[in-house]
Amino acid sequence: MLKIRRLYSEGSYETPFDKNIDGFEEKWWSQLVFDAMSSRDEFYSFTNEAEEEVARAWVDWRDYADTYAGINIDHEESYRYLYLFEVRRDCRGRGIGKEAVDLLSSGFDYLTLLALPKAVGFWEKTQFVHYERIGAQDPREQQLFVCGHLPQ
C-alpha cells in the first residue's frame, strides 16, 4: 500500500524532490524544469511500505484552448492539471502507477491531464476518462483525460 506526501520547495526555483534517488527521469525533476513553477503548483511523492519513493507527481494549472467531444471546457478558466507523473523505472509494471494515480486523484474534486500517445494505454486503465479533440487529429498529439467533475 502506498503513502502520499505533499512536498514543498525550499526556494523559489528549487526542486522539492530528492535528486539522489535513481530511476526517475532527471530532466523532468531537475532544477531547469522548476524554472516554470508557479505559486499554485503542488508536488507529491509516493512511498511504499519500506518508505522508498516509487512515484512522483507535479500538479499545476492549465488553460485549454481546444474543444473536446463530450465535455464542456471553459476557455477562460484554468483547470487543475497533472503536469508530470512518473513511476520509478524499477517499479513499473506492478500496478504502482495506477495505485498512485488513484491515491492522488482521491484528494481532488477533479484533475485533468494531456497524455502523450504512448501513455494513452496507461491512462485508459485508470479512473480518468478520455475525451477526443474536435478537429484535425495528429496521431502524435496529446490526448485529454479528466478524472472527476470539472467546475461549471
Side-chain angles (χ1 to χ4, degrees):
M1 173 170 257
L2 296 182
K3 292 182 199 170
I4 185 172
R5 182 171 48 109
R6 185 168 177 189
L7 303 177
Y8 297 89
S9 179
E10 302 243 341
S12 297
Y13 297 105
E14 286 292 317
T15 174
F17 296 101
D18 186 341
K19 298 173 192 171
N20 297 315
I21 298 176
D22 290 330
F24 291 102
E25 187 62 50
E26 187 177 344
K27 66 182 178 186
W28 288 5
W29 307 103
S30 71
Q31 173 71 29
L32 296 176
V33 171
F34 286 85
D35 288 346
M37 283 177 17
S38 78
S39 61
R40 298 193 323 177
D41 292 353
E42 298 176 19
F43 306 96
Y44 297 92
S45 173
F46 302 86
T47 55
N48 61 16
E49 294 85 2
E51 297 296 320
E52 301 169 318
E53 186 177 34
V54 294
R56 296 174 171 178
W58 177 355
V59 177
D60 196 355
W61 291 82
R62 180 182 180 92
D63 301 327
Y64 288 98
D66 295 319
T67 304
Y68 298 88
I71 192 165
N72 182 27
I73 296 285
D74 182 344
H75 301 298
E76 303 297 318
E77 182 73 33
S78 288
Y79 294 96
R80 191 173 288 114
Y81 172 69
L82 183 54
Y83 179 67
L84 287 176
F85 175 78
E86 184 180 20
V87 174
R88 200 175 73 203
R89 273 188 288 284
D90 63 327
C91 296
R92 295 177 187 165
R94 298 190 220 163
I96 290 172
K98 184 178 181 325
E99 184 180 350
V101 167
D102 288 347
L103 193 56
L104 178 66
S105 58
S106 70
F108 297 106
D109 294 336
Y110 72 90
L111 269 175
T112 65
L113 66 92
L114 288 174
L116 294 171
K118 68 181 182 179
V120 165
F122 168 77
W123 292 107
E124 287 177 335
K125 294 176 190 171
T126 69
Q127 55 189 333
F128 280 76
V129 177
H130 185 194
Y131 293 94
E132 293 289 334
R133 184 173 162 264
I134 296 173
Q137 289 254 346
D138 179 334
R140 298 164 298 178
E141 199 168 86
Q142 295 180 335
Q143 303 294 308
L144 176 69
F145 284 80
V146 176
C147 178
H149 302 286
L150 295 181
Q152 298 298 321

